[in-house]
Amino acid sequence: MHSIWLMPDARGHARFSDLIRRHAAELGGPVFEPHITLLGDVAAAPESIISKCAGLFADVGRDIAAVHGVDCTDKYYMSLFADIVLPGRFADSQHSLSRLFGTDGPVAFRPHLSLTYGQIDRASRSELCRQIVAELADFTFGLAAVELVAASKEVPVNQWRTVWRHDLKEAPIPGSLPEPAG
């Protein structure tokens, strides 16, 4: 199984990595690369995924994303996360990937960047959410690359590996972000 990730630029990577490492140490969860999952649990052959992703992202330039809030759930891989506002073309790319790999389903795409994996009690999650909201208020970061990662819920996080990376084209950064949905 593979996942297709959208990767933050160096500045975003540093900020999110710090949060991920800090909370993994506090809570005993795994450390992982900061990413926005465009599509997970893709069962196709890596060569097929790479070919389709290379075509889909060939002319896509770098852009800006923004943190739109912090939330938590009871789900292991979404126990604590930042909701992300993506430029429309990246949401469109996610829908194209879903169609290409036959995973287009009723679940709406919720762009997010996980900050902690694991089972965390409700009170601790709520307190962490409050702390991180202040740390990430108005934080924007660049979108730098798309990666294909050998990762799934059946593989331990410390065994996830990047199989392919496509750096997005250097492009002028637009002056405004899209309005958050909802």
Side-chain angles (χ1 to χ4, degrees):
M1 292 289 214
H2 292 84
S3 294
I4 302 166
W5 291 354
L6 187 56
M7 305 303 290
D9 64 2
R11 182 173 153 274
H13 185 275
R15 182 83 169 266
F16 293 122
S17 288
D18 177 62
L19 286 168
I20 290 166
R21 282 192 306 275
R22 191 170 71 214
H23 296 300
E26 290 172 12
L27 301 168
V31 174
F32 52 92
E33 285 295 308
H35 64 277
I36 300 163
T37 301
L38 291 173
L39 193 64
D41 295 328
V42 180
E47 298 78 17
S48 173
I49 302 168
I50 291 167
S51 173
K52 290 174 181 174
C53 285
L56 186 62
F57 293 101
D59 295 321
V60 175
R62 293 177 176 223
D63 213 329
I64 298 290
V67 173
H68 178 60
V70 176
D71 204 351
C72 48
T73 70
D74 291 329
K75 297 177 185 174
Y76 183 88
Y77 293 101
M78 286 181 75
S79 56
L80 179 65
F81 58 94
D83 278 311
I84 305 295
V85 178
L86 291 177
R89 67 177 168 215
F90 290 101
D92 293 344
S93 296
Q94 190 279 334
H95 296 299
S96 295
L97 290 167
S98 292
R99 285 190 300 278
L100 283 170
F101 296 106
T103 59
D104 207 14
V107 178
F109 177 51
R110 182 178 186 179
H112 69 278
L113 194 146
S114 290
L115 301 170
T116 301
Y117 290 161
Q119 300 300 325
I120 305 166
D121 67 84
R122 192 173 305 261
S124 297
R125 277 197 321 256
S126 297
E127 180 56 31
L128 283 172
C129 276
R130 281 192 288 282
Q131 291 172 11
I132 294 172
V133 163
E135 289 184 60
L136 292 178
D138 301 320
F139 184 64
T140 61
F141 59 97
L143 301 169
V146 174
E147 289 188 357
L148 176 64
V149 181
S152 73
K153 294 173 181 140
E154 289 76 35
V155 176
V157 173
N158 65 353
Q159 294 178 20
W160 292 356
R161 299 289 176 258
T162 299
V163 174
W164 173 81
R165 179 181 171 98
H166 171 75
D167 291 317
L168 299 173
K169 288 181 158 193
E170 293 289 336
I173 300 298
S176 63
L177 290 167
E179 289 299 315

